[in-house]
């Protein structure tokens, strides 16, 4: 590298001199702080190496300008470090002193002791000073002095574990067994929770072969209820000595001190592997499940137990353990258990066992669903269906009891509709599957007692309960149930319907009559009940009773379906052949209503029963005059269509032509639709009927007929022009164009007329 000049500021304004550095040493670094260092010799490019500003009388520092251009010779950081390492001087070590004179040795010892004492005096609580001092005394063979140093250190801080360990190790190293035993005894007495002292103490006694002493130390340690590793050390000690009974006794105390799954598993593993006693290991697993209680519901315990039985080739025992565990452990915590159960069944089970595993998985899913939402009755139904398909009676009953315990939170019928079917399915299961009749009766009673009847009730439950009693010979009980249902449901027609069917099947006619009287007294507008009552009397050949019931029914002021009742009454008289009574009924009905269907029915009746059709025509004519006077056009059209159909059936051409002349013309019209607020809502099309004799009231009818005629004429003219164009192929293109235009015009005009005609 090139030389570099450095300016040294002088005293008052000026430069004292310039120093130059040789090129073999590195120069000043550039401002960029890079890894390469460079210098440019004076006079290089850039106008000189150093430019010194003239310092004025008031200037306190000189101005220097650095040349920042790279030098031709470069040096890297690696070269700098290598050069620094090569030029590093060796460490100065004190000379090794050789002592040959006892006086010189004493002088050396005095100097070292003074040095250690000074260090201790400066910092009495630094343990390393004490330990170094004692170890030095040990190297000099001054054991009493070393013990004195350790004792002084323990007086300062007896809780320091390192001091005790170094102290005891010194005695053990020098084979002072009793002194080491004394130190360990003092350490475990003062600091019984430091496990390292106990480990060292027992290890020393074990190495010395003092097994009784080691056992005594372990017993003292166990009185402090140490951690699990301490107990396992005691067990391993007894195992090495072949004392299996003593090891079992230690395990007994161990699981009492640490009642955890891990402790029991260690004991069971000891019995299986170390002792080889299968029965003892099984007994340990069983005691673990019994002793731990709720804490035993851990999949690790059951998996280990099941694997143990599997190793012993007890597949049935292992399967029972898996099933017990799956029934008692919470489902989110039993994923590994279930996976291992599936693997077990695939290895040792048959088809039935594998299906049981799959069912268990589905059962877990349903359990999770009903746990999250107890009122999710669809999940309960699926769960019950699964149990009924694969489960036993007790399991199914337990599931039903859990399901019906999820009562809806609100007393509203919409919440109870799905819930009540759980009770119904429960009762059906007990009756048909379990064959337990008393239990079925109790289920029905419990269900009826649970329903809030003051707010709502369920007819289906009452009727099923009554039918259950009938099936099992309890007719009086069934009548009692129906009586309660009528009182609760306020004379519900559904309850009466089921009650009447039961009494009819039993042949109790008088009871049925009383029930019909009660039903019609409570609800006289029920036309269905009236007709069924009359049908029952007719079936019993009590014609006068049936006619009396129907007469009483049609005399009611308000009926829910009067047309049904009148039709039934008329059909009743027709079936008996009482035509005069039928005509009388039609006339009575026409006094109440002038509906067109009544007229048509009356006329068709006369047409069907009379030998001549004069009565039918007279009725049609009478009905037509009445509808015409009331200006009921749609009804008139219906009547005329029916009349025309009858005349065509008879085959009289003159009468057919007469009716056809009475038929109206149908015209499409538009009318404005008004919204609720009175604004225009658009136009709608409808069909308007114009009957003969009403042309004077329709002045635009002739105009429409003329428009139709004009339309037909224009279409005929267009067709003629097209034919002429086809017959003269030599016509010019201009003529063809003209013909096409005319054709288009002719085709368009009727469309516009059609729209006018429609409007």
């Amino acid at each position: 590298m090139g030389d570099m000049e450095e300016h040294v500021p002088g005293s008052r304004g000026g430069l004292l001199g310039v120093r130059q550095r040789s090129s073999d040493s590195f120069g000043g670094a550039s401002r960029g702080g890079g890894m390469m260092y460079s210098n440019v010799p004076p006079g290089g490019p850039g106008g000189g190496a150093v430019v010194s500003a003239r310092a004025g009388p008031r200037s306190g520092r000189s101005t220097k300008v650095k040349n920042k251009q790279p030098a031709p010779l470069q040096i890297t950081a690696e070269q700098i470090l290598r050069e620094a390492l090569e030029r590093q001087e060796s460490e100065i070590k004190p000379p090794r002193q050789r002592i040959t004179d006892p006086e010189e040795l004493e002088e050396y010892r005095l100097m070292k002791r003074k040095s250690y004492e000074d260090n201790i005096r400066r910092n009495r609580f630094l343990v390393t000073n004490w330990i170094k001092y004692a170890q030095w005394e040990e190297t000099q063979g001054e054991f009493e002095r070393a013990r004195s140093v350790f004792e002084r250190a323990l007086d300062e801080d007896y809780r320091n574990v390192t001091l005790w360990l170094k102290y005891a190790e010194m005695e053990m190293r020098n084979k002072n067994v009793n002194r080491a035993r004394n130190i360990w005894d003092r350490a475990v007495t003062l600091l019984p929770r430091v496990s390292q002292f106990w480990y060292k103490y027992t290890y020393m006694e074990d190495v010395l072969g003092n097994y009784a002493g080691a056992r005594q130390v372990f017993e003292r340690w166990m009185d402090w209820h140490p951690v699990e590793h301490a107990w396992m050390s005691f067990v391993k000690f007894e195992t090495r000595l072949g004392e299996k009974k003593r090891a079992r006794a230690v395990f007994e105390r161990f699981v009492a001190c640490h009642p955890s799954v891990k402790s029991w598993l260690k004991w069971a593993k000891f019995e299986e592997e170390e002792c080889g006693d299968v029965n003892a290991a099984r007994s340990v697993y069983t005691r673990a499940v019994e002793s731990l209680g709720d804490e035993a519901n851990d999949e690790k315990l059951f998996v280990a137990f099941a694997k143990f039985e599997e190793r012993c080739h007890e597949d049935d025992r292992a399967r029972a353990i898996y099933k017990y565990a799956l029934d008692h452990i919470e489902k989110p915590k039993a994923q590994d258990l279930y996976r291992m159960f599936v693997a077990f069944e695939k290895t040792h089970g048959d088809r039935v066992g594998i299906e049981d595993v799959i069912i268990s998985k589905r059962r877990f899913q349903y359990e999770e669903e009903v746990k999250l939402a107890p009122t999710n009755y669809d999940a309960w139904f699926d769960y019950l269906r699964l149990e009924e398909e694969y489960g036993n009676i007790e399991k199914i009953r337990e599931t039903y009891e859990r399901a019906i315990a999820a009562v809806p939170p609100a007393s509203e019928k919409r919440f109870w509709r799905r819930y009540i079917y759980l009770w119904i399915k429960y009762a059906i299961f007990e009756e048909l599957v379990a064959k337990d009749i008393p239990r079925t009766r109790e289920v029905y009673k419990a269900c009826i007692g649970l329903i809030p009847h003051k707010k709502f009730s369920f007819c289906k439950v009452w009727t099923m309960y009554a039918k259950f009693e009938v099936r099992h010979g309890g007719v009086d009980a069934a009548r009692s149930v129906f009586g309660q249902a009528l009182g609760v449901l306020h004379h519900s027609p559904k309850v009466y319907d089921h009650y009447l069917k039961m009494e009819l099947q039993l042949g109790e006619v008088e009871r049925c009559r009383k029930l019909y009287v009660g039903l019609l007294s409570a609800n006289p507008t029920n036309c269905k009940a009236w007709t069924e009552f009359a049908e029952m009397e007719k079936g019993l050949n009590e014609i006068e009773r049936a006619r009396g019931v129907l007469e009483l029914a049609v005399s009611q002021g308000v009926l829910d379906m009067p047309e049904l009742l009148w039709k039934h009454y008329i059909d009743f008289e027709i079936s008996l052949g009482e035509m005069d009574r039928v005509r009388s009924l039609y006339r009575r009905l026409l006094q109440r209503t002038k509906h067109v269907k009544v007229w048509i029915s009356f006329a068709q009746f006369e047409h069907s029963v009379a030998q001549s059709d004069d009565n039918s025509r007279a009725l049609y004519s009478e009905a037509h005059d009445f509808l015409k006077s009331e200006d009921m056009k749609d009804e008139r059209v219906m009547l005329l269509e029916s009349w025309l159909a009858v005349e065509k059936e008879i085959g009289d051409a003159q009468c057919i032509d007469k009716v056809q002349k009475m038929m109206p013309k149908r015209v499409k019209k538009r009318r404005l639709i008004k919204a609720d607020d009175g604004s225009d809502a658009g136009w709608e099309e409808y069909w308007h009927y114009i009957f003969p004799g009403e042309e004077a009231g329709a002045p635009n009818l002739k105009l429409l007929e003329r428009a139709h005629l004009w339309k037909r004429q224009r279409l005929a003219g267009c067709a003629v022009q097209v034919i002429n164009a086809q017959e003269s192929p030599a016509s010019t293109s201009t003529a063809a164009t003209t013909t096409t235009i005319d054709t288009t015009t002719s085709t368009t005009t009727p469309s516009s007329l059609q729209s006018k005609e429609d409007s």
Side-chain angles (χ1 to χ4, degrees), residues 403-457:
I404 61 178
V407 182
S411 297
E412 296 182 18
K413 194 169 184 177
R414 60 191 180 96
F415 296 119
W416 285 67
R417 283 194 175 95
R418 294 289 291 165
Y419 170 71
I420 209 66
Y421 277 96
L422 291 173
W423 287 94
I424 293 173
K425 286 178 64 65
Y426 191 11
I428 293 173
F429 165 76
E430 291 291 349
E431 181 184 3
L432 301 181
V433 180
K435 308 293 184 181
D436 194 342
I437 306 305
R439 191 178 181 89
T440 307
R441 189 175 288 109
E442 293 299 325
V443 170
Y444 277 118
K445 289 181 179 179
C447 178
I448 291 173
L450 184 65
I451 299 173
H453 299 289
K454 293 184 178 180
K455 296 182 179 180
F456 57 85
S457 188

Side-chain angles (χ1 to χ4, degrees), residues 10-15 52-63:
S11 57
R12 189 178 266 202
L15 298 176
S52 177
R54 182 175 297 176
R58 296 183 180 179
S59 176
R61 66 179 66 180
S62 64
T63 303

Side-chain angles (χ1 to χ4, degrees), residues 47-316:
V50 177
V51 178
S52 177
R54 182 175 297 176
R58 296 183 180 179
S59 176
R61 66 179 66 180
S62 64
T63 303
K64 56 183 178 179
V65 179
K66 294 182 180 179
N67 190 348
K68 299 180 181 178
Q69 292 191 6
L73 183 62
Q74 301 293 326
I75 184 171
T76 62
E78 183 181 359
Q79 293 172 343
I80 296 172
L81 294 175
R82 188 185 302 114
E83 184 179 359
L85 182 61
E86 291 174 354
R87 296 188 179 186
Q88 186 177 3
E89 298 179 355
S90 60
E91 183 181 357
I92 300 175
K93 297 181 179 180
R96 188 167 183 176
Q97 187 177 5
R98 184 181 298 273
I99 301 174
T100 57
D101 189 5
E103 294 180 0
E104 190 176 358
L105 176 60
E106 290 297 330
E107 184 180 355
Y108 166 73
R109 289 177 177 176
L110 180 61
M111 179 186 64
K112 292 291 290 183
R113 289 188 181 114
K114 184 177 183 302
S115 174
Y116 283 123
E117 290 291 344
D118 291 341
N119 291 335
I120 291 172
R121 194 179 303 111
R122 281 193 295 267
N123 192 352
R124 301 180 62 84
F125 299 101
L126 186 60
V127 180
T128 55
N129 292 336
W130 295 100
I131 294 175
K132 290 179 180 179
Y133 190 9
Q135 289 177 347
W136 181 80
E137 293 289 355
E138 181 187 2
T139 58
Q140 298 300 314
E142 298 288 343
F143 299 110
E144 293 298 331
R145 287 181 175 273
R147 294 187 190 102
S148 175
V149 172
F150 275 119
E151 292 294 340
R152 289 167 59 196
L154 291 174
D155 289 339
E156 294 294 335
D157 186 11
Y158 74 93
R159 291 186 178 86
N160 193 291
V161 177
T162 308
L163 283 174
W164 290 103
L165 292 176
K166 295 294 183 180
Y167 192 6
E169 287 174 0
M170 182 194 73
E171 299 293 355
M172 294 168 62
R173 193 164 45 245
N174 294 284
K175 300 181 181 181
N176 297 323
V177 177
N178 291 329
R179 290 182 178 276
R181 190 178 286 126
N182 185 21
I183 293 170
W184 290 127
D185 190 79
R186 289 168 59 194
V188 298
T189 303
L190 294 174
L191 301 173
R193 293 298 179 184
V194 180
S195 301
Q196 195 172 4
F197 295 159
W198 295 102
Y199 283 123
K200 295 279 188 179
Y201 196 3
T202 54
Y203 177 72
M204 184 190 73
E205 297 292 352
D206 191 5
V207 170
L208 294 173
N210 186 13
Y211 302 123
R215 186 177 292 114
Q216 185 178 3
V217 174
F218 271 118
E219 292 292 342
R220 289 176 58 190
W221 191 8
M222 297 304 111
D223 292 340
W224 289 97
H225 301 287
V227 295
E228 297 178 359
H229 293 290
W231 291 95
M232 294 308 299
S233 298
F234 196 6
V235 170
K236 291 178 181 178
F237 169 75
E238 296 292 354
T239 305
R240 285 197 307 272
L241 299 180
E243 298 288 344
K244 302 296 179 61
K245 292 183 178 180
R246 290 181 179 273
R248 288 194 184 96
V250 174
F251 266 118
E252 288 281 354
R253 297 161 60 188
F254 174 38
V255 296
C257 180
H258 297 279
S260 63
V261 174
K262 186 177 180 181
S263 304
W264 287 97
L265 291 179
K266 288 181 178 180
W267 189 6
K269 184 178 180 181
F270 165 78
E271 294 290 350
E272 181 184 2
E273 296 180 358
E274 299 294 338
C275 301
D277 193 344
V278 176
N279 294 326
R282 184 178 292 117
S283 175
V284 171
Y285 280 117
T286 306
R287 287 180 57 189
V289 175
E290 295 174 354
S291 302
L292 292 176
D294 294 336
E295 295 182 3
N297 295 332
D298 189 346
E299 63 175 357
K300 293 182 180 179
L301 175 61
F302 289 105
V303 167
F305 196 2
K307 286 185 175 180
F308 163 74
E309 296 293 351
E310 187 176 355
R311 288 192 297 271
C312 297
H313 304 288
E314 295 287 346
D315 297 338
D316 295 335

Side-chain angles (χ1 to χ4, degrees), residues 495-713:
V495 178
Y496 271 111
D497 187 21
H498 292 285
Y499 199 179
L500 285 164
K501 287 181 180 178
M502 184 192 76
E503 295 294 352
L504 279 175
Q505 291 174 355
L506 295 174
E508 297 289 342
V509 179
E510 292 300 326
R511 287 183 178 273
C512 290
R513 286 174 179 153
K514 290 180 181 179
L515 289 174
Y516 274 119
V517 170
L519 172 60
L520 295 172
S521 299
N523 190 6
T525 63
N526 191 347
C527 293
K528 184 179 178 182
W530 287 106
T531 56
E532 289 177 352
F533 193 7
E535 280 294 325
M536 186 193 74
E537 295 293 350
K538 180 183 176 183
L540 296 172
N541 204 18
E542 295 286 346
I543 305 300
E544 293 302 325
R545 279 181 176 272
R547 187 176 286 118
V549 169
L550 291 173
E551 281 292 336
L552 186 61
V554 297
S555 64
Q556 299 296 321
V558 180
L559 294 171
D560 54 359
M561 290 184 293
E563 65 279 2
L564 178 65
L565 181 62
W566 281 97
K567 183 179 183 302
H568 187 272
Y569 196 1
I570 291 170
D571 293 340
F572 169 75
E573 295 294 351
I574 291 174
S575 65
L576 295 177
E578 299 288 343
M579 304 306 170
D580 295 335
R581 288 182 179 274
V582 175
R583 293 187 181 95
S584 176
L585 286 174
Y586 271 118
R587 288 297 175 184
R588 289 169 61 187
L589 181 57
L590 286 173
Q591 291 176 2
R592 293 197 176 192
T593 177
K594 299 292 185 179
H595 200 276
V596 64
K597 290 186 178 181
V598 179
W599 289 105
I600 293 173
S601 178
F602 193 7
Q604 289 177 349
F605 164 73
E606 290 292 349
H607 170 67
S608 63
V609 300
Q611 296 180 355
S612 64
D613 295 307
D614 294 337
N615 292 336
S616 177
R617 292 192 181 100
L619 280 173
Y620 275 120
S621 178
E622 181 183 355
H624 183 265
D625 294 340
F626 171 76
L627 296 174
K628 181 178 180 180
S629 63
E630 296 292 333
D631 195 20
M632 303 169 68
K633 294 186 177 182
D634 293 337
E635 287 79 0
R636 285 175 67 186
V637 173
M638 292 177 61
L639 181 70
L640 289 173
E641 289 176 352
S642 176
W643 192 358
L644 182 61
V646 172
E647 293 296 346
K648 288 181 179 179
E649 184 179 351
I650 296 172
D652 192 346
Q654 183 179 1
C655 294
I656 292 173
D657 185 60
K658 177 184 176 181
V659 176
Q660 285 180 345
K661 289 181 180 180
M662 297 170 66
M663 295 295 289
K665 295 181 180 180
R666 194 173 65 169
V667 181
K668 185 184 292 185
K669 288 188 176 183
R670 291 195 306 166
R671 57 189 171 194
L672 185 64
I673 303 174
K674 294 291 185 180
D676 295 337
D677 56 355
S679 61
D680 296 342
W683 294 81
E684 69 171 354
E685 293 184 348
Y686 70 98
W687 292 105
H688 179 69
Y689 297 102
I690 300 176
F691 289 89
E694 295 181 355
E695 288 83 356
N700 296 328
L701 186 61
K702 295 295 183 181
L703 178 62
L704 292 175
E705 291 180 354
R706 290 174 183 174
H708 281 291
L709 179 60
W710 179 82
K711 175 183 177 181
R712 288 194 294 269
Q713 291 176 356

